[in-house]
Amino acid sequence: GGGGGGEGHRACSAPGARPAPGSSLPGWPGSWAGRELPSAGRSGAMAAAPGAMERLLDFSQPLDIPLLDATVAAFYGSGPPAERQAAERVLNSLKEHPETWTRVSTVLEASQSQNTRFFALQVLEEVIKFKWNALPAEQREGIKNYITNVIIKMSSDEEAFRRGRVYVNKLNVALVHVLKHEWPHAWPSFLPDLVGAAKSSETLCENCMAILKLLSEEVFDFARGEMTQQKTRELKDSLNREFALVHELCEFVLAHSQRVELVRATLETLHAFLSWVPLGYIFESTLVETLLKLFPLPPFRNVALKCLTEVGSLNVGSFYDSHFVKLYVVLMTSLGQMLPRGVNIPEAYANGSDDEQAFVQNLAQFLTGYLKVHLPLLEGSPEGQAALLSGLEYLLGISYVDDVEVFKVCLDYWNALVCDLFQSECSEPAPAASPFAFAAAPGAA
């Protein structure tokens, strides 16, 4: 999500007025608003001679886009080794040059090569990650506005969004790197603006979900080594504090959207959030019920099951015990209709599609994750006992699947179960000595 003109496109807009269409963004060479985005077609540039490539390093001259396209094509092509080595040397020199990033906008606008645009985004990403705070404020603002404008433009047009999805994903990554510097202190309206923009278009909403997923992963999974502990804590606090907006958006999409891609993207985003969100958003809303309704539907069963695995693996005390029992019982009832008991699971797995094999893998993760934490709950519940035996039967069948990783998941659980049973037996009081004694053998002295 991002900024841009118009009431419906306020997401990710930076504080302050946005330049009028056709004007130059501050600190960023060229005029961007309202221009056509470069096509995703291949470069038609002719091969560049190794000597000609060196002209790209002359920053006193305008950038030769066809030459840059040809140089990138030479690097990725199958031409003579000398040509490829020359292209690699020039591209590495460009990456290291302190002024190359100022030409990124020109490349992204004018290049007809997808690989060249990816190269330019790589340069920009490095600047954002490692030199952001050294840039003047107006240049930071210009970069931020440009990225958000392009994301909005491409995400609002379904054809452009589908055709340029990889390109948009790379822009999303660049935006998240900006957020790691700017949010929340210099961009406090980011989440409200993002959620507001998501409601203006289903494809824009789908991409907003992708941005939220990336942000959650960066903050909670990949933050170590890239951000200080204080910055990581600040981002986590901001996400927790404003998660109500995200939760409301996710529930709205799951309740009303008929678009498969959007619903799946929303479930993927929820999966990234469920390990850390406050429990009230999970158990005191319709979220679990919605996931259980989506679970039997083929387009959503795998990602819904991954979400339910995150929920089912939570160990949060006894307050939500009834919710955990209901989750398991309802899921096992649905599973019995999708995968009847008695089915030869190893054979079905061997002959199944990638999606069907992924379902068996995810089912193993759900059963082992849930039972490790909540086995006593099911043992103590009349309705849970039958569902427990059914789940163990499924897990036993999955254990025979000819897949090492699946077997490791199952084996880990069986090991935990056997240890638990052994400890339970050892803790039982020893039986009293039996009064029975063997008789002496006939003829014994």
Side-chain angles (χ1 to χ4, degrees):
E7 284 296 316
H9 290 167
R10 290 179 57 248
C12 305
S13 60
R18 184 175 301 286
S23 64
S24 296
L25 294 173
W28 190 264
S31 171
W32 297 103
R35 285 199 181 185
E36 288 299 313
L37 295 174
S39 69
R42 292 187 175 183
S43 170
M46 300 295 291
M53 297 178 189
E54 301 290 337
R55 297 205 309 269
L56 295 171
L57 302 177
D58 182 2
F59 279 75
S60 66
Q61 300 296 322
L63 180 62
D64 186 336
I65 296 296
L67 179 60
L68 179 59
D69 284 346
T71 302
V72 172
F75 175 71
Y76 285 106
S78 56
E83 182 183 72
R84 189 178 186 281
Q85 291 167 4
E88 182 179 16
R89 184 173 61 253
V90 168
L91 293 177
N92 283 335
S93 297
L94 277 175
K95 276 186 183 180
E96 295 167 3
H97 197 286
E99 294 182 33
T100 300
W101 76 269
T102 64
R103 298 187 166 190
V104 166
S105 57
T106 303
V107 176
L108 294 178
E109 178 186 357
S111 173
Q112 297 301 305
S113 165
Q114 182 166 273
N115 284 334
T116 302
R117 294 203 302 276
F118 289 168
F119 170 78
L121 282 176
Q122 193 174 41
V123 171
L124 181 60
E125 187 177 331
E126 292 293 305
V127 168
I128 294 170
K129 287 173 70 173
F130 303 115
K131 300 178 182 179
W132 184 258
N133 292 326
L135 299 178
E138 65 173 11
Q139 290 184 338
R140 296 199 300 266
E141 192 77 359
I143 293 172
K144 183 169 67 174
N145 287 344
Y146 171 70
I147 292 172
T148 55
N149 280 336
V150 178
I151 287 175
I152 282 178
K153 187 177 179 68
M154 293 197 69
S155 301
S156 299
D157 180 337
E158 182 166 10
E159 184 181 348
F161 180 60
R162 302 294 174 207
R163 187 178 65 244
R165 186 60 187 267
V166 176
Y167 180 58
V168 175
N169 287 344
K170 291 184 179 294
L171 285 167
N172 291 344
V173 171
L175 176 63
V176 169
H177 285 307
V178 170
L179 288 169
K180 286 157 66 175
H181 293 290
E182 298 285 287
W183 184 65
H185 66 283
W187 203 347
S189 65
F190 165 70
L191 268 181
D193 289 346
L194 183 78
V195 171
K199 296 178 180 178
S200 67
S201 157
E202 285 195 296
T203 51
L204 182 55
C205 184
E206 183 181 336
N207 195 56
C208 287
M209 291 296 178
I211 292 169
L212 288 168
K213 178 175 180 286
L214 277 174
L215 181 59
S216 177
E217 290 172 343
E218 283 291 327
V219 172
F220 287 91
D221 299 334
F222 310 137
R224 185 176 300 175
E226 290 199 1
M227 294 185 288
T228 64
Q229 290 184 344
Q230 180 180 350
K231 182 61 179 179
T232 302
R233 185 165 54 250
E234 183 183 14
L235 292 176
K236 288 181 178 180
D237 289 345
S238 296
L239 272 175
N240 271 294
R241 190 166 52 249
E242 299 192 65
F243 184 72
L245 291 169
V246 178
H247 181 262
E248 178 188 348
L249 177 63
C250 291
E251 284 206 317
F252 178 82
V253 169
L254 295 178
H256 297 96
S257 179
Q258 301 297 313
R259 188 183 291 264
V260 170
E261 296 88 353
L262 175 54
V263 173
R264 189 184 290 123
T266 303
L267 291 172
E268 292 282 2
T269 299
L270 279 172
H271 178 247
F273 287 173
L274 284 171
S275 62
W276 59 262
V277 299
L279 295 176
Y281 290 114
I282 299 175
F283 296 111
E284 296 169 23
S285 70
T286 60
L287 178 59
V288 173
E289 181 182 346
T290 301
L291 292 172
L292 289 169
K293 286 180 179 177
L294 293 172
F295 168 63
L297 304 179
F300 312 123
R301 61 184 178 185
N302 273 313
V303 65
L305 185 54
K306 288 196 289 186
C307 290
L308 290 165
T309 299
E310 286 289 342
V311 176
S313 302
L314 293 172
N315 190 356
V316 294
S318 60
F319 188 78
Y320 294 109
D321 281 358
S322 61
H323 293 80
F324 283 109
V325 172
K326 181 180 178 182
L327 182 158
Y328 183 85
V329 170
V330 172
L331 186 141
M332 295 308 296
T333 301
S334 297
L335 182 61
Q337 299 169 355
M338 300 162 60
L339 190 67
R341 293 174 67 176
V343 167
N344 187 325
I345 295 180
E347 182 179 328
Y349 185 90
N351 298 320
S353 64
D354 290 346
D355 189 69
E356 290 165 339
Q357 291 184 349
F359 180 74
V360 174
Q361 295 163 8
N362 292 330
L363 181 58
Q365 294 283 0
F366 171 80
L367 290 170
T368 56
Y370 182 96
L371 294 175
K372 278 181 183 178
V373 180
H374 304 296
L375 179 66
L377 275 182
L378 299 176
E379 291 175 328
S381 162
E383 61 175 343
Q385 290 173 3
L388 169 60
L389 293 175
S390 176
L392 291 172
E393 185 179 327
Y394 279 115
L395 191 59
L396 187 60
I398 296 172
S399 300
Y400 286 93
V401 163
D402 187 15
D403 184 297
V404 173
E405 295 306 316
V406 173
F407 180 70
K408 286 179 181 178
V409 171
C410 298
L411 182 62
D412 183 59
Y413 176 71
W414 295 127
N415 179 63
L417 178 65
V418 169
C419 288
D420 182 59
L421 293 173
F422 179 76
Q423 290 171 0
S424 297
E425 288 296 318
C426 289
S427 65
E428 294 288 330
S434 172
F436 176 81
F438 288 101

